Amino acid sequence: MKVLYRFAPLLLVLLAACSQLTGPSASEYMDSNISTWNGLIEKVNQWSGGNDAERLTQAMADRKGLSNFKSRLGNARQEAVDMRERMKALKTPDDATELHAKLVTSLDEAVVWYDAMLKLTDLPDGFSDEQAAPLLEAMDATGTKFDKLTDELDQMQDAYARKHRINLSHVEDPAASES
């Protein structure tokens, strides 16, 4: 019996190594998928309906000061890029291929959305409607596509969780209930 105890640490290291080779379990994968997605949505919400969005909207209405948002939007974009790259590198369970692809596509679209917003920050003070219109249209089109991907990803996450009997807790967004 003492021999078994002597090799127990080695067995644990071997098991951990095998786990890394085979990838995460369905539950571990869902934790990564959902935590990444929730982190992104939290950032996107700041720029689509939160304080940052309000300040950006006010700067658009005032037609000045858009360059002040460039750094913060650039940082938010970089966070989305980093999330996308981490998820691309993550090993996935065999039956999560489509779910994973949808998450990566959604992260790609978030980066495109931030790129569209960053173009607004290049508008000069006193910009014209003609200068802003194509940028706002591009941002709106990307936002619409992102919303569609969000709905699809949510359904896929729910289906994958049901398939593996993973309990997902849905938290209602307080802003959604105010509408």
Side-chain angles (χ1 to χ4, degrees):
M1 196 58 128
K2 288 186 179 189
V3 173
L4 183 61
Y5 287 121
R6 186 176 305 155
F7 291 111
L10 180 60
L11 288 172
L12 289 174
V13 169
L14 276 171
L15 286 173
C18 288
S19 171
Q20 289 297 327
L21 292 175
T22 60
S25 68
S27 179
E28 290 168 334
Y29 175 72
M30 281 305 293
D31 285 346
S32 294
N33 184 297
I34 291 184
S35 67
T36 297
W37 187 243
N38 287 344
L40 177 70
I41 292 300
E42 182 180 328
K43 297 291 179 191
V44 166
N45 284 345
Q46 291 174 4
W47 289 101
S48 64
N51 291 334
D52 290 325
E54 289 175 17
R55 287 191 288 272
L56 183 61
T57 301
Q58 186 59 52
M60 288 291 296
D62 295 343
R63 297 183 187 266
K64 66 179 182 179
L66 291 173
S67 62
N68 296 332
F69 296 92
K70 188 178 225 62
S71 177
R72 292 195 61 230
L73 273 168
N75 290 339
R77 180 197 181 278
Q78 187 58 50
E79 286 180 51
V81 167
D82 293 345
M83 287 178 191
R84 179 186 64 195
E85 297 310 310
R86 275 194 309 272
M87 290 311 288
K88 280 183 175 181
L90 182 69
K91 289 188 181 295
T92 60
D94 289 340
D95 66 345
T97 304
E98 287 182 48
L99 172 60
H100 191 71
K102 184 63 72 175
L103 175 63
V104 171
T105 300
S106 299
L107 291 164
D108 284 339
E109 197 61 29
V111 172
V112 172
W113 182 70
Y114 280 122
D115 287 341
M117 290 183 69
L118 276 164
K119 288 178 183 172
L120 290 173
T121 66
D122 292 332
L123 288 171
D125 286 350
F127 61 87
S128 68
D129 288 344
E130 292 78 23
Q131 290 172 297
L135 301 177
L136 290 170
E137 288 169 10
M139 192 177 86
D140 186 49
T142 302
T144 299
K145 185 174 179 184
F146 181 77
D147 287 344
K148 183 177 185 278
L149 287 167
T150 295
D151 292 341
E152 292 169 358
L153 181 61
D154 186 48
Q155 291 171 9
M156 290 176 81
Q157 287 171 333
D158 286 343
Y160 189 80
R162 275 192 310 277
K163 176 181 177 182
H164 291 282
R165 294 186 171 100
I166 299 168
N167 186 21
L168 298 179
S169 58
H170 291 275
V171 178
E172 181 69 26
D173 181 6
S177 62
E178 294 173 6
S179 307

